[in-house]
Amino acid sequence: MDQNRVTAYEVLINISEKNSYSNIELNNRIAEKKPNSPPFVRELVYGVLKNQYSLDYIIGQLSSRKLEKMQICLLVILRMGLYQIIYMDSVPDYAAVDECVKLTKKVAFGRSGFINGVLRNFLRNRDTLKKPEDEKNEVKRLSLTYSIDPWIVRLWLNQYGERAEKLLQASNMKPRLCLRVNTLRIEPAELVERLKQRGVDLREARRVKDLLIVKSGSVIETPEFKEGLFFVQDAASALAVERLAPKEGSTIIDLCAAPGGKSLDSAIIMKNTGRVMSFDVHGNKLHVIEKSAERLGVSVIETREQDSMIENPDLIELGDYVICDAPCSGLGVLDRKPEIKYRKLEDDGRALAEKQFSLLETASKYVKRYGKLMYSTCTINMIENKDVVSRFLKEHSDFKIKEARQLMPDEDGTDGFFYCVMKRQ
């Protein structure tokens, strides 16, 4: 039994049945199962997730059994088999079919003949099957072509018109890996040279200071990572903190801080002076921030478990800078978390926007006079971004916008990310 495919199968099953996040499931299962090719496992998992609707469209044409009545274990195995046949040139067709049959014998006794029949049916008839682009309905065509739930397609068509298809296309692109240089210990040019000697091809970002973009190579296992010379942070998040521009010796309050990128970035910009208070409602995530801070040599971060929806009187007007990175729909990071593409959001995010507004209101009370407040999300849904800020400013005349920007994956090459820096008058 191929351990790589078993690992991928278990990850996909847990994502489907438990609504788990792909990155967490992959890391946990790879650590547990120890497959001999983690890159193969990751490609198969992310490939199936990114193309789930289009794969199901094919399965629906090959099987007389309706998808909604099919056992999830069989559906996952068929998706895995089709993805290998269609997209993975390194896997021969016969091997993809054979390994799926072996896997079925392990997890669904007596159903291997069904899996074998459907996959071989595809090999015989692949050129005669209907294609998503043949669909007449625009929403259905785009949903199937880019494998994304129709509610997101309708939302983006409504908000962005013809540009929506470019956003859909970007959601299936391979995400960029960016490194925030720890300038407490090294300068960007020196780190570039050191990593190049490790076989990592990278360049300095043009628009964001102290950020490197990895073009190829593995960085996490390098001595430079272990020495705390950098941490992983997307350009959009790094740009937002750069525009917040915290000064040395300041007090920063970071609500919803985990996994801690903005807290770490702020501490480094302040040259490890002042105070960074990092809160998160999930106490089990705080160790990630603490571990990263220790690795990077950052000593000014204080972590605390706290529900930031509830006002803390000890924090009133304490922060020179307050970061409110609100929980959101995640529509800007579909390339990193493709499972989000299939999770429907109530009322296009209006209920979520109510919570975001309440969180922002609470965060604003922690800002000193003449201090700065930053609201940010990793989504491109106007309801969660522009509308939340507009409502907040109407009800809080003592705050004025210094800078607001919606970063778009199709145009900016970053995560889809919104930030708004406001100053208290």
Side-chain angles (χ1 to χ4, degrees):
M1 181 66 62
D2 177 33
Q3 199 67 1
N4 295 310
R5 291 176 173 86
V6 171
T7 305
Y9 168 81
E10 292 183 357
V11 170
L12 290 166
I13 283 291
N14 280 347
I15 291 171
S16 179
E17 293 184 339
K18 300 178 182 178
N19 280 337
S20 305
Y21 283 111
S22 53
N23 57 334
I24 296 174
E25 275 297 329
L26 271 166
N27 292 337
N28 290 343
R29 288 289 168 176
I30 287 174
E32 176 189 339
K33 294 289 186 179
K34 295 180 172 53
N36 60 19
S37 180
F40 179 92
V41 176
R42 293 183 186 279
E43 180 183 354
L44 184 52
V45 168
Y46 281 125
V48 168
L49 288 174
K50 287 187 175 184
N51 296 278
Q52 186 170 300
Y53 274 11
S54 53
L55 294 173
D56 286 356
Y57 185 65
I58 294 171
I59 296 169
Q61 298 178 64
L62 298 172
S63 173
S64 58
R65 183 173 301 179
K66 292 185 177 180
L67 295 182
E68 56 268 23
K69 294 186 177 180
M70 193 178 295
Q71 289 176 273
I72 188 61
C73 60
L74 300 179
L75 189 54
V76 166
I77 292 173
L78 287 175
R79 290 169 180 166
M80 289 172 59
L82 287 174
Y83 181 79
Q84 292 171 79
I85 293 170
I86 298 169
Y87 297 101
M88 297 182 75
D89 295 335
S90 61
V91 180
D93 293 349
Y94 74 86
V97 175
D98 187 51
E99 291 296 337
C100 284
V101 169
K102 290 179 181 176
L103 181 58
T104 309
K105 289 178 179 178
K106 175 180 173 67
V107 302
F109 182 76
R111 305 303 297 154
S112 58
F114 170 74
I115 296 294
N116 184 62
V118 172
L119 294 179
R120 293 196 179 280
N121 189 8
F122 173 74
L123 293 176
R124 289 192 301 269
N125 300 292
R126 62 195 306 173
D127 295 330
T128 63
L129 297 174
K130 286 196 305 180
K131 296 177 172 55
E133 54 265 34
D134 298 330
E135 294 291 340
K136 303 298 183 186
N137 180 278
E138 183 182 26
V139 172
K140 185 175 182 180
R141 175 181 65 81
L142 293 172
S143 172
L144 292 171
T145 299
Y146 299 103
S147 196
I148 195 164
D149 197 274
W151 83 265
I152 301 175
V153 177
R154 285 190 288 266
L155 179 75
W156 285 353
L157 284 171
N158 181 52
Q159 294 186 355
Y160 297 104
E162 293 181 358
R163 188 181 184 180
E165 186 160 6
K166 292 182 179 179
L167 294 174
L168 293 167
Q169 187 176 17
S171 72
N172 276 357
M173 299 290 284
K174 184 178 180 180
R176 292 195 315 177
L177 178 63
C178 300
L179 311 179
R180 171 60 164 91
V181 181
N182 181 7
T183 51
L184 299 174
R185 291 181 171 175
I186 195 170
E187 291 301 311
E190 184 183 350
L191 181 58
V192 167
E193 289 304 312
R194 286 186 58 170
L195 288 176
K196 279 186 176 179
Q197 293 175 13
R198 310 283 182 195
V200 180
D201 186 12
L202 70 174
R203 64 174 175 83
E204 293 189 40
R206 288 186 290 271
R207 291 183 294 176
V208 187
K209 189 180 178 183
D210 302 328
L211 194 81
L212 305 178
I213 298 173
V214 178
K215 298 161 84 172
S216 65
S218 178
V219 296
I220 302 302
E221 298 301 322
T222 61
E224 286 72 21
F225 177 81
K226 295 171 184 175
E227 291 171 27
L229 303 187
F230 65 87
F231 65 94
V232 175
Q233 184 183 30
D234 186 70
S237 176
L239 178 62
V241 180
E242 181 182 284
R243 303 310 293 170
L244 181 64
K247 296 179 181 178
E248 292 180 37
S250 300
T251 295
I252 292 182
I253 299 173
D254 186 1
L255 307 177
C256 313
K262 295 177 185 64
S263 289
L264 296 166
D265 199 354
S266 299
I268 291 171
I269 288 174
M270 295 195 303
K271 298 182 180 178
N272 203 31
T273 64
R275 185 184 188 191
V276 180
M277 306 173 72
S278 302
F279 302 113
D280 204 275
V281 68
H282 302 291
N284 60 323
K285 293 183 178 181
L286 295 175
H287 79 279
V288 177
I289 303 175
E290 294 162 359
K291 188 176 179 181
S292 296
E294 182 180 2
R295 182 176 62 83
L296 296 165
V298 171
S299 59
V300 296
I301 292 179
E302 310 165 21
T303 61
R304 187 190 308 170
E305 182 177 348
Q306 176 177 298
D307 184 351
S308 295
M309 295 291 290
I310 301 172
E311 183 180 316
N312 184 340
D314 295 335
L315 301 178
I316 301 299
E317 295 192 13
L318 182 64
D320 296 296
Y321 304 88
V322 176
I323 299 173
C324 179
D325 191 55
C328 68
S329 60
L331 298 184
V333 291
L334 298 181
D335 56 345
R336 301 183 190 279
K337 298 178 180 179
E339 63 277 6
I340 295 175
K341 298 199 294 181
Y342 315 109
R343 295 177 182 174
K344 294 182 181 178
L345 191 62
E346 179 186 349
D347 203 17
D348 287 347
R350 287 178 176 81
L352 183 55
E354 285 295 325
K355 295 179 181 179
Q356 292 163 338
F357 176 79
S358 296
L359 181 61
L360 181 56
E361 274 206 312
T362 301
S364 70
K365 297 175 183 178
Y366 303 154
V367 183
K368 289 180 180 179
R369 293 175 185 177
Y370 308 110
K372 288 183 180 179
L373 169 64
M374 184 172 75
Y375 174 76
S376 62
T377 71
C378 57
T379 189
I380 51 180
N381 181 4
M382 293 182 186
I383 294 168
E384 301 175 69
N385 295 336
K386 179 177 67 69
D387 292 357
V388 170
V389 170
S390 296
R391 178 183 171 190
F392 174 79
L393 292 173
K394 284 179 182 178
E395 298 184 20
H396 297 271
S397 59
D398 54 332
F399 282 88
K400 302 295 181 184
I401 290 181
K402 297 291 289 182
E403 181 178 342
R405 186 172 180 185
Q406 174 69 72
L407 293 156
M408 306 294 270
D410 64 316
E411 186 175 90
D412 298 297
T414 66
D415 287 347
F417 191 93
F418 175 84
Y419 69 85
C420 179
V421 177
M422 296 168 274
K423 188 170 184 178
R424 189 172 190 180
Q425 304 302 298

